[in-house]
Each structure stands twice: as C-alpha cells, then as structure tokens.
C-alpha cells in the first residue's frame, strides 16, 4: 500500500511538472499602476505550476514559488509616489501618444543594452528553454524581438483598454461608427461630428505613434542584430493580447479571437491584512461609515495648491461623524488644518479597504486599476480625473450612475459639498454599483484562468493559431475600399453603356419613324 501511494504521488508530481511551461515576462515601464496587473498575472501563472522569469522595475518584496526576478530595470524617471502637481501639469497633461511613444516607448527600448539583458540575447537559457514571452502592450514593442531570439510565441498584455495604435498589432476590427477610442470621452451614442472626430483622432494617433516609434528599429539593430525585423514586423508576430477590459463594463464591440478580455485580473485577495491600528479604526466606523480618498500610486495629493486642499478640508469636516481615510505619501507636507475626522497614511492596502463593510464611497483620480477594484467591491465613487484615460473612465462610470465627476481646476466648495452629500445619501449610487459589480464579476472563468488557458493554447498550437487573416491585407483591403471602387466603376460603366445604348436605340427608332411618315405623305399626294 505504501509503495502504491508513493507511486501515485510520484506520477502526480511528474504530470504536474510536464504541464508546466517556462515563461519570460518583460514589463519595462516604471509605472506601478501598470505592474499591478502584470504582477498578479505572473504570480497567478506561477501558482498554476509554470516557471516564470520576470524583467521589470518592481522586484517582489517577498519571494513566490516558481517566480524569479531575472532582471531589475533601473528607474530613470521615478513615478511611484513622486509625481507632484506641477510635474503632472507640465508632463502628463500633454498629448498622450507622445508620452507613450517616448517615455513609455523609445526610452525603455534603450534598456536592451543592459548587460543582464544582453546576456539573455547572446546566450539564451536552454535548460529548460523558454516556451513563451509576455510583454506589455503600451509603447515599447521592441521587446517583441525576444520572440525571434528565443524562437517562441509572443503574448501581449495591456493594463488598459487598447489604445488606438494597439489594434493594428492583431488586426483587431475597429468600427469607429460606434466604438470610440479610449482617449476620447464620448460615452453615449456618437452624433455625426463626434464620429468624424473619433475617426480623425484615431487616424492621427496611429500615424503619430508609428512615426515616433520608428526609432526603435535602430535600437533593435544596434543592440540585437542588423538582420532583425523592424518593430512593425515584430508587432505582427504577437499571437494574442490579454487586455484589461470586459464587455459588461467597457461595452459590446467587435473583437478578433486574438484579443482576450481579462478585465479585473488583478482584483485578487492576496492575504494582505490591515494593520491592527487601521483595522480598529475602520471597525469603529460601523455607525456612520468612512470615505476612502486616494490619487493612486503616482500623484502626491499634498503637492496640490492650498486652495484645492482647503476645499477638501472644509468638505470633510462638514460630513463628520463620517470619517475620511486618505493616502498621503508625505504627511509632513500637508498644510495645517486637517480635520479631526480624517485619518492619513503613506501607504494603504487598497483592496482590503474597499472590501471593508463600513466603506461608503471612494474619492479617486479615476485610474483603471483602482476603479475596477471599487466596482468589484460595489463602492460608488467621486472621480477627479487628472490625466490620460482617467477622464474616459470617470465619464463612463458617471454614465452608468456609479460615480460623480469633479474638475479639480474649476471645482468650488459647493461642488465638493454637493458631491459628497449625493454619493453618501443617495442610495441609487450604492444600488447601481452593486449591480454593476455583480455583472463585472459574473463570467464563466476567473480572469487568471482565462489568461492561463489561452497562453497554454498558443504554446501548444503555435504563435499564429489565433492570427486574423486581416494581418495579410492592406488597410484599404480590410476596409473593402478596392471592392467599393471596383463596384462603383463597374456600375458607372454599365450605366454609361446602357445610357448610350438607349440613346442609340431611340435615335434609330426616331430616324425610322421619320422615314415612314415621309413616304406615307408622298403616297397620299
């Protein structure tokens, strides 16, 4: 019996090992909010028995089985808890496509020269070899070159809904008549002029991004090899894209099978607990509840102009005994006057807070990760968007009646007072948030299981197993412009021939009729 038991255990271990793959994840961008999703994905894959090696700017603080931080990227531009109000206004409020293609694109591709990465390029591991490469879909498509180096499929991961320039990577169909790109805040059915704007805006962003990121061709040839494909060619070798969206929240739209929705993948209970002090504070809010206030992992609220902070202070004091929990990276930089019902901390376990039964609302900048967590926890929001897709996110939530939007540049004391009163005492927001949250979580598989299934599918059946035939067509062929032109020309020729043939017949009949009349008259006389 003991021998049989040992044999069963041994075979089970062999089977588990044989089903595991070795995966290389490359996530070079130094935005912590982006990496939250990637970390959850790679941890989830490691938990399923795969060996994952990760290149990123955020090595794990606690080791995880099957998860190895292979290379720690240097951070040239520190964004975590280091973005001031002035920096945000100067650098992050501009043209998003420019920021993505430079800071989030070309500059990151310079990391190909790092000695640790050069070692992988020149001497790839073979015992065992990699089975797949995962890269972020944002601005640095140059890292798709590792698919060529390692001769394995490349899988893209997008921490947001796809930006306009990302659809072309997998020939994802875009119907701009009713699907707006995620940089425009058109949330309702678009009128004619909005459809024109949506079309022109999308075309411009694609052309600008492609133009700016051509520079990555030089970096690839310089650091990898002169015979390497261009960045545009590398992009078309991407097998699938795992995207942080889901139709119940982002709407129904046409999609190729290579676009896999795993929205909310990062919303996982990682066993983090509130500190005893914070747990006690939150539990004591059982009678009146509390409001959670955070502007995410980048922006420092304490650097905002004093007149804006004064608005927050006065409004928070007015809603007492309801309490406020604020994430403040540098509490000592806050101006005086913080109300007694406000509790501050430089770091907070956000998901645990949003799950607490005493929370009543979330004041947020509208980042996708945090708002998805709030939706999953059925928490209504007051959105104060600052840059990028935050405006679109909040507008979408306002349309769904789970959020109230404020503009920090024009916000008055009354605006903030009214928003807090509405979100706290109008039960409609809480009820709608609960319904939207249930729809968002209701799906056949958990996001991590969906991601794991399709990654394994690509590994088993090849990089082009889900490729769209549209990748082999020119844009005018996809749009059927050549067909429409052909049909127009053929129709024009047919109409032209019929028109002239009709004239010819009429003239012949007219000429023949005239002769008959003339001969008849002669016969009478």
């Amino acid at each position: 019996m003991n021998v049989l038991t040992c044999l069963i255990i041994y075979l089970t271990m062999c089977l588990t090992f044989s089903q595991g793959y070795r995966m290389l994840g490359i996530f070079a961008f130094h935005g912590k909010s982006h990496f939250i999703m990637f970390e959850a994905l790679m941890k989830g894959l490691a938990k399923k028995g795969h060996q994952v090696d990760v290149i990123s700017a955020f090595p794990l603080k606690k080791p995880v089985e099957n998860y190895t931080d292979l290379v720690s990227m240097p951070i040239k531009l520190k964004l975590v808890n280091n973005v001031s109000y002035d920096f945000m206004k100067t650098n992050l409020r501009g043209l998003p496509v420019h920021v993505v293609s430079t800071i989030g694109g070309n500059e990151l591709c310079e990391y190909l020269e790092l000695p640790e990465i050069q070692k992988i390029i020149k001497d790839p591991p073979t015992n065992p070899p990699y089975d797949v490469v995962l890269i972020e879909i944002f601005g640095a498509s140059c890292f798709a070159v590792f698919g060529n180096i390692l001769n394995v499929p490349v899988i893209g991961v997008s921490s947001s809904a796809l930006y306009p320039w990302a659809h072309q990577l997998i020939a994802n169909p875009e119907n701009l008549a009713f699907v707006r790109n995620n940089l425009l805040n058109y949330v309702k059915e678009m009128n004619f002029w909005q459809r024109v704007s949506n079309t022109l805006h999308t075309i411009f962003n694609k052309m600008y991004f492609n133009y700016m990121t051509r520079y990555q061709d030089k970096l690839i040839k310089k650091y990898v090899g002169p015979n390497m494909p261009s960045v545009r060619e590398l992009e078309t070798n991407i097998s699938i894209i795992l995207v942080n969206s889901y139709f119940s929240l982002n709407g129904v739209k046409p999609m190729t099978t290579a676009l896999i929705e795993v929205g909310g993948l990062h919303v996982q209970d990682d066993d983090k607990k509130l500190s005893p002090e914070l747990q006690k504070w939150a539990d004591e809010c059982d009678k009146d509840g509390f409001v959670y206030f955070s502007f995410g992992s980048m922006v420092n609220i304490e650097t905002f102009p004093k007149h804006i902070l004064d608005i927050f202070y006065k409004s928070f004091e007015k809603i007492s005994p309801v309490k406020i929990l604020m994430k403040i990276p540098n509490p000592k930089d806050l101006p005086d006057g913080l109300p007694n019902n406000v509790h501050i901390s430089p770091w907070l376990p956000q998901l645990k807070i949003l799950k607490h039964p005493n929370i009543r609302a979330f004041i947020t900048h509208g980042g996708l990760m945090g708002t998805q967590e709030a939706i999953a926890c059925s928490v209504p929001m007051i959105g104060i968007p600052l840059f990028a897709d935050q405006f679109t996110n909040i507008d979408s939530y306002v349309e769904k009646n789970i959020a109230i939007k404020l503009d920090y540049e024009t916000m008055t004391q009354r605006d903030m007072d009214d928003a807090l009163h509405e979100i706290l005492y109008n039960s409609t927001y809480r009820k709608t948030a609960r319904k939207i949250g249930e729809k968002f979580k209701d799906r056949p598989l958990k996001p991590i299981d969906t991601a794991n299934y399709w990654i394994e599918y690509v590994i088993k059946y090849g990089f082009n197993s889900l490729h769209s035939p549209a990748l082999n067509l020119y844009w005018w062929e996809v749009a059927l412009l050549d067909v429409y032109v052909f049909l127009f020309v053929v129709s024009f020729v047919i109409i032209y021939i019929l028109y002239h043939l009709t004239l010819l017949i009429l003239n012949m009949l007219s000429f023949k009729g005239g002769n008959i009349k003339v001969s008849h008259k002669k016969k009478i006389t």
Side-chain angles (χ1 to χ4, degrees):
M1 186 67 179
N2 291 335
V3 174
L4 180 60
T5 302
C6 291
L7 181 60
I8 292 173
I9 294 173
Y10 174 76
L11 291 174
T12 303
M13 290 178 64
C14 289
L15 182 62
T16 302
F17 179 78
S18 65
Q19 290 178 335
Y21 295 105
R22 190 174 186 187
M23 305 178 180
L24 176 63
I26 307 174
F27 310 109
F29 185 60
H30 28 259
K32 181 64 175 178
S33 58
H34 289 224
F35 191 70
I36 288 172
M37 177 189 179
F38 309 144
E39 181 180 326
L41 171 63
M42 301 310 282
K43 280 183 176 179
L45 294 172
K47 191 175 181 180
K48 291 183 178 296
H50 302 298
Q51 176 61 49
V52 300
D53 295 340
V54 179
I55 298 174
S56 77
F58 303 99
L60 296 183
K61 295 180 179 179
K62 294 182 179 180
V64 172
E65 187 177 3
N66 296 331
Y67 186 117
T68 302
D69 284 303
L70 198 63
V71 179
S72 182
M73 294 283 202
I75 299 178
K76 295 180 180 178
L77 179 62
K78 186 181 177 183
L79 296 176
V80 178
N81 290 333
N82 197 47
V83 174
S84 67
Y85 177 86
D86 292 335
F87 181 89
M88 178 194 72
K89 294 273 288 185
T90 305
N91 297 280
L92 301 181
R93 295 273 291 186
L95 200 61
V97 63
H98 180 79
V99 175
V100 173
S101 59
T102 53
I103 296 176
N106 297 344
E107 293 181 15
L108 298 182
C109 292
E110 297 281 0
Y111 289 152
L112 287 170
E113 70 170 331
L114 292 176
E116 302 95 325
I117 293 181
Q118 282 293 308
K119 182 179 179 181
I120 301 172
I121 293 172
K122 294 174 181 178
D123 186 24
T126 57
N127 188 26
Y130 286 112
D131 297 293
V132 70
V133 173
L134 292 87
I135 67 169
E136 179 178 9
I137 298 301
F138 193 50
S141 298
C142 59
F143 291 106
V145 74
F146 279 89
N148 290 61
I149 296 169
L150 304 172
N151 194 29
V152 296
V154 177
I155 290 175
V157 189
S158 177
S159 62
S160 67
L162 288 191
Y163 284 102
W165 50 86
H167 294 271
Q168 62 196 6
L169 278 58
I170 53 173
N172 189 59
E174 297 174 274
N175 192 324
L176 299 176
F178 69 94
V179 181
R180 52 112 181 114
N181 76 55
N182 70 329
L183 294 175
L184 291 175
N185 54 347
Y186 301 150
V187 294
K188 297 183 179 180
E189 183 178 334
M190 292 182 287
N191 59 35
F192 172 76
W193 294 113
Q194 288 173 330
R195 283 186 284 120
V196 170
S197 174
N198 189 36
T199 302
L200 295 178
H201 190 272
T202 301
I203 293 173
F204 166 77
N205 275 275
K206 287 181 178 180
M207 293 177 65
Y208 191 94
F209 179 83
N210 289 343
Y211 172 76
M212 290 295 293
T213 53
R214 288 185 307 171
Y215 176 69
Q216 295 179 23
D217 292 345
K218 297 180 180 179
L219 298 177
I220 292 168
K221 295 185 184 302
K222 179 180 179 182
Y223 297 125
V224 183
N227 298 322
M228 284 291 120
S230 68
V231 69
R232 299 285 88 87
E233 292 172 314
L234 291 172
E235 287 175 339
T236 60
N237 288 332
I238 292 173
S239 300
I240 61 173
I241 296 178
L242 305 174
V243 62
N244 190 22
S245 65
Y246 198 63
F247 74 91
S248 63
L249 193 61
N250 300 86
V252 176
K253 58 192 70 173
M255 294 192 307
T256 177
T257 50
L259 186 64
I260 313 297
E261 290 197 303
V262 292
L265 183 146
H266 68 290
V267 186
Q268 301 179 31
D269 197 337
D270 55 4
D271 296 327
K272 289 182 180 177
K273 297 181 179 180
L274 298 178
S275 66
E277 177 194 3
L278 187 56
Q279 184 71 51
K280 181 175 182 293
W281 182 90
D283 291 343
E284 290 175 350
C285 298
D286 57 321
K287 183 179 179 181
D288 300 293
F290 69 90
V291 176
Y292 174 49
F293 186 170
S294 172
F295 275 174
S297 62
M298 293 169 56
V299 177
N300 293 1
I301 302 174
E302 61 273 20
T303 64
F304 273 55
K306 189 175 184 302
H307 74 273
I308 296 179
L309 294 175
D310 283 342
I311 290 175
F312 292 144
Y313 284 11
K314 292 176 182 177
S315 292
F316 295 162
E317 190 173 23
K318 289 177 183 178
I319 63 171
S320 182
V322 176
K323 295 182 180 179
I324 309 293
L325 178 60
M326 290 183 72
K327 174 185 174 292
I328 304 293
N330 301 293
K332 64 180 184 301
D333 294 335
L334 275 176
D336 295 334
L338 193 69
N340 293 329
N341 63 328
V342 178
H343 181 86
I344 61 175
S345 176
W347 179 87
L348 293 165
Q350 183 162 282
L351 186 56
K352 284 291 185 184
I353 291 167
L354 292 170
K355 283 185 174 183
H356 197 281
N358 292 338
I359 190 170
R360 296 183 61 182
F362 178 27
I363 302 177
T364 172
H365 63 308
L368 185 58
M369 300 298 171
T371 55
Q372 282 182 339
E373 290 173 353
I375 289 167
C377 297
S378 303
V379 179
M381 295 170 276
I382 294 177
I384 309 175
L386 305 177
F387 53 85
D389 62 347
Q390 297 162 12
F391 296 90
T392 303
N393 295 339
I394 295 301
D395 285 339
S396 174
Y397 304 147
V398 169
E399 173 68 13
K400 291 177 173 58
N401 209 25
I402 59 175
I404 297 171
K405 180 182 179 181
L406 295 176
D407 185 340
Y408 73 89
E409 292 185 303
T410 60
M411 179 178 64
T412 65
Q413 187 67 61
R414 181 168 183 176
D415 292 334
M416 191 70 221
D417 291 347
D418 291 346
L420 277 169
H421 186 273
E422 185 73 4
I423 208 75
L424 289 173
Y425 301 109
N426 186 340
S427 61
T428 301
Y429 291 98
R430 171 69 70 172
K431 292 176 181 177
T432 309
R434 187 177 298 112
K435 182 178 179 181
I436 297 293
E438 289 172 355
K439 286 178 64 178
F440 184 58
K441 293 182 291 185
D442 191 357
R443 53 188 87 183
L445 287 174
K446 291 181 179 180
I448 185 60
D449 295 327
T450 301
N452 182 68
Y453 174 85
W454 288 110
I455 290 172
E456 291 186 351
Y457 185 95
V458 169
I459 294 173
K460 287 187 287 187
Y461 300 114
F463 84 96
N464 61 351
S465 53
L466 293 173
H467 265 198
S468 169
L471 284 167
N472 301 320
L473 301 176
Y474 292 105
W475 67 268
W476 60 82
E477 293 175 313
V478 175
L480 290 176
L481 289 183
D482 52 346
V483 174
Y484 293 143
V485 170
F486 170 76
L487 293 176
F488 175 79
V489 171
V490 170
S491 301
F492 179 81
V493 170
I494 292 173
I495 293 172
Y496 180 85
I497 292 173
L498 289 175
Y499 174 75
H500 285 279
L501 186 59
T502 302
L503 286 180
L504 180 62
I505 293 172
L506 290 175
N507 286 335
M508 290 176 64
L509 290 174
S510 177
F511 178 75
K512 187 176 180 181
N515 287 342
I516 293 173
K517 289 179 181 180
V518 172
S519 60
H520 180 67
K521 287 180 181 179
K522 287 182 178 180
K523 196 171 183 180
I524 293 174
T525 55

